[in-house]
Amino acid sequence: SQTIHQWPATLVQPVGSPLSLECTVEGTSNPNLYWYRQAAGRGLQLLFYSVGIGQISSEVPQNLSASRPQDRQFILSSKKLLLSDSGFYLCAWSVQGTDTQYFGPGTRLTVL
Amino acid sequence: GEDVEQSLFLSVREGDSSVINCTYTDSSSTYLYWYKQEPGAGLQLLTYIFSNMDMKQDQRLTVLLNKKDKHLSLRIADTQTGDSAIYFCASTSGNTPLVFGKGTRLSVIA
């Protein structure tokens, strides 16, 4: 069966520091991968999605970037965090050619 | 682009039925989804319905789709305190990633 992991689970970072959040999927090949941010426990904002290694689509221009160095690994990064980057970051995957998304447990990021 | 709307809050008594409503704008939507999010957790897929169906039932969950009015509902029978969560409606036309509503926070009163 397929599983999706995110780490860390929680993170507290100072303004201006770098960020790296990791998402990995097990039990499937060539998945679509997605990064979302959820602010204040409401509403999902799609940040990036990827249909293959090195293929990243950015939905919202901002202080973040994404990379997919391996088939089942998706990384969210920032060079310098802003206060507004605080939120709950969710990774999701779907089977290629289908739309049903399965979510990871999330990472709670607090920028102070 | 596609827009998905939901009411933000719903409060029901334990044992009653809950009905969470959702409207969407894209008439070419092919699949419509319901996800559940418990506090501090990721989203859990509850159920989904294909656009050529009117109803889908899965144990205590009933999904109704009115394609003419672009209206989707989720009915939870015999609502329990463990059903307290945020429920997200989402749609897709197959060409773009899922579009989510802002979520309905269901509070179950014992």
Side-chain angles (χ1 to χ4, degrees):
Chain A
S1 65
Q2 299 86 12
T3 54
I4 178 170
H5 304 279
Q6 289 186 243
W7 63 88
T10 60
L11 191 59
V12 180
Q13 292 284 97
V15 170
S17 63
L19 173 74
S20 181
L21 302 181
E22 190 166 342
C23 170
T24 58
V25 181
E26 295 177 355
T28 187
S29 295
N30 197 25
N32 295 324
L33 295 169
Y34 309 84
W35 277 113
Y36 291 87
R37 177 168 60 201
Q38 187 179 31
R42 303 305 305 258
L44 294 171
Q45 180 185 32
L46 178 63
L47 302 175
F48 302 95
Y49 70 95
S50 171
V51 299
I53 294 175
Q55 300 178 64
I56 310 290
S57 296
S58 174
E59 290 295 301
V60 183
Q62 47 197 303
N63 185 39
L64 301 168
S65 62
S67 62
R68 185 170 177 173
Q70 299 181 43
D71 181 43
R72 291 170 291 176
Q73 184 185 33
F74 206 21
I75 296 173
L76 184 69
S77 303
S78 174
K79 292 181 179 177
K80 287 187 178 182
L81 283 168
L82 306 172
L83 286 174
S84 58
D85 291 323
S86 292
F88 192 48
Y89 287 83
L90 290 158
C91 182
W93 71 276
S94 65
V95 174
Q96 275 289 343
T98 69
D99 301 304
T100 306
Q101 292 182 24
Y102 303 93
F103 283 79
T107 295
R108 173 76 57 192
L109 172 65
T110 303
V111 182
L112 302 175
Chain B
E2 165 76 296
D3 193 22
V4 177
E5 297 284 341
Q6 301 177 239
S7 54
L8 295 183
F9 300 99
L10 177 66
S11 182
V12 299
R13 293 201 175 275
E14 190 175 19
D16 289 349
S17 292
S18 307
V19 179
I20 302 171
N21 295 301
C22 169
T23 58
Y24 59 97
T25 58
D26 188 352
S27 58
S28 63
S29 291
T30 51
Y31 283 94
L32 296 124
Y33 298 82
W34 285 105
Y35 286 83
K36 175 184 180 183
Q37 185 182 33
E38 296 183 1
L43 274 67
Q44 172 195 353
L45 176 65
L46 282 180
T47 186
Y48 61 90
I49 188 168
F50 188 53
S51 60
N52 68 353
M53 298 170 65
D54 298 324
M55 185 181 84
K56 181 178 180 181
Q57 188 156 3
D58 183 3
Q59 299 183 330
R60 292 191 297 121
L61 305 179
T62 303
V63 178
L64 295 177
L65 175 61
N66 182 326
K67 197 173 179 181
K68 173 177 170 290
D69 295 337
K70 301 191 192 70
H71 182 267
L72 182 74
S73 67
L74 175 69
R75 178 177 180 268
I76 305 173
D78 187 25
T79 311
Q80 303 297 308
T81 54
D83 295 322
S84 293
I86 300 176
Y87 291 80
F88 289 92
C89 171
S91 77
T92 180
S93 60
N95 297 319
T96 57
L98 294 184
V99 177
F100 287 85
K102 288 184 169 49
T104 299
R105 185 181 297 274
L106 174 64
S107 298
V108 181
I109 305 165

